[in-house]
Amino acid sequence: MRFGAALLLASVRLAPAWGGEGLTDSDRLGLERGELIVKTREVEGYPWPEAMVYARVAASPEEVMAVYADFAGQAGYLPKLVESRIVKRLSPSLFHVSYEYEVTGPNERYTVLTEVSRAPGGFRASWELVKARYARRLSGQVRVEASGAATL
């Protein structure tokens, strides 16, 4: 198995920038040291900010996306996630995925429409809320892409 370096971006909204855009030299040095880089910005009309998280991962883009797209396995590494599973396959790359998170009071349960696809130099997974017990808005993406000898 070949391992390289990867940079992973997770955003709670569809992020306008990618390819490391918006990262400072200090951020890039932090990534080299293995730090998570978190960027936020206010979104008009919403109480919570948009958040983007950058992380260097020692894996190829294919390996990173394979771990993410193993929806049933996500509860093994995401804190407070009780269960995640595909409830409906709409096409080879489009799924309804159900999640249950442990929260104070009754657990949050929601379903998102998730699309996993190839993107220039790598992969992209995006999701939009279909239904939820509490959440009223939930969208985001995970992107991984090759960048020189590493993976961005």
Side-chain angles (χ1 to χ4, degrees):
M1 183 180 300
R2 181 183 70 77
F3 285 94
L7 187 65
L8 173 69
L9 168 72
S11 170
V12 297
R13 291 191 31 165
L14 294 179
W18 181 239
E21 296 169 24
L23 290 176
T24 65
D25 289 341
S26 175
D27 293 337
R28 291 178 193 283
L29 288 172
L31 288 169
E32 290 293 327
R33 290 188 302 264
E35 298 171 9
L36 290 178
I37 304 300
V38 179
K39 302 280 187 173
T40 61
R41 71 178 183 136
E42 298 301 313
V43 179
E44 188 175 332
Y46 293 96
W48 296 285
E50 173 182 274
M52 291 189 293
V53 179
Y54 296 82
R56 184 166 295 283
V57 180
S60 70
E62 292 82 4
E63 292 164 325
V64 172
M65 192 52 69
V67 169
Y68 174 79
D70 175 13
F71 299 108
Q74 289 180 350
Y77 63 87
L78 291 174
K80 303 216 181 251
L81 181 60
V82 175
E83 178 187 45
S84 60
R85 62 187 171 86
I86 296 173
V87 293
K88 189 176 196 179
R89 183 180 299 265
L90 303 169
S91 75
S93 63
L94 197 60
F95 314 92
H96 279 173
V97 182
S98 172
Y99 291 89
E100 180 178 350
Y101 274 93
E102 184 179 324
V103 296
T104 303
N107 286 352
E108 168 65 304
R109 293 182 179 145
Y110 62 87
T111 301
V112 293
L113 176 63
T114 301
E115 182 174 20
V116 178
S117 59
R118 286 202 168 275
F123 299 89
R124 176 178 183 255
S126 61
W127 57 90
E128 294 285 334
L129 185 65
V130 173
K131 65 180 181 177
R133 176 179 279 170
Y134 304 117
R136 297 295 170 251
R137 176 180 172 265
L138 177 65
S139 63
Q141 67 179 341
V142 170
R143 294 174 61 168
V144 292
E145 59 186 57
S147 175
T151 303
L152 181 65

